[in-house]
Amino acid sequence: MEDKEIKRGDVFWVDVPAFTRHVAQKIRPCVVISNDRVNKTDNNIMVVPLTHSIKRLDLACNVMVDSLHSVAKCNTVMTVGRELILSKYSEVTQWELQHISAAVATHICG
């Protein structure tokens, strides 16, 4: 994956490891939320997983990503190794990225 450019707002297929019993180990699309400077130099990339299961949109941590007919689960921020990032799937819109960032900040900072 070292030769692929990873940018904030890109959506990649990620081989998500089993962190806890609440995060299923499987390949799933994830939005890159770490900044581009880090994405160029670090082996660890911060991502938020996407799901097609549109539930609990009343929660501030869930953001609808209309362009991909998915929900960003912003309460599940993960740092994954670059080697777990597979192929590029898509990218979110700037508007969607702003809402994802705000939901992550709200979830972390209150």
Side-chain angles (χ1 to χ4, degrees), residues 12-33:
F12 280 88
W13 289 104
V14 176
D15 189 1
V16 176
F19 291 110
T20 70
R21 64 187 173 113
H22 301 290
V23 178
Q25 179 178 2
K26 65 180 188 176
I27 295 174
R28 68 180 320 141
C30 294
V31 180
V32 175
I33 61 168

Side-chain angles (χ1 to χ4, degrees), residues 31-67:
V31 180
V32 175
I33 61 168
S34 47
N35 71 64
D36 288 337
R37 186 172 57 240
V38 168
N39 296 337
K40 287 181 184 177
T41 59
D42 204 330
N43 286 325
N44 295 309
I45 307 296
M46 291 180 69
V47 299
V48 169
L50 295 177
T51 181
H52 290 304
S53 177
I54 302 175
K55 297 178 185 174
R56 300 303 316 259
L57 284 174
D58 58 315
L59 297 175
C61 60
N62 290 340
V63 174
M64 186 68 198
V65 180
D66 289 319
S67 64

Side-chain angles (χ1 to χ4, degrees), residues 74-94:
C74 299
N75 63 335
T76 313
V77 176
M78 299 179 284
T79 301
V80 296
R82 186 175 288 271
E83 70 279 1
L84 298 177
I85 297 177
L86 308 176
S87 58
K88 185 172 178 181
Y89 172 63
S90 189
E91 57 190 48
V92 296
T93 67
Q94 191 61 38

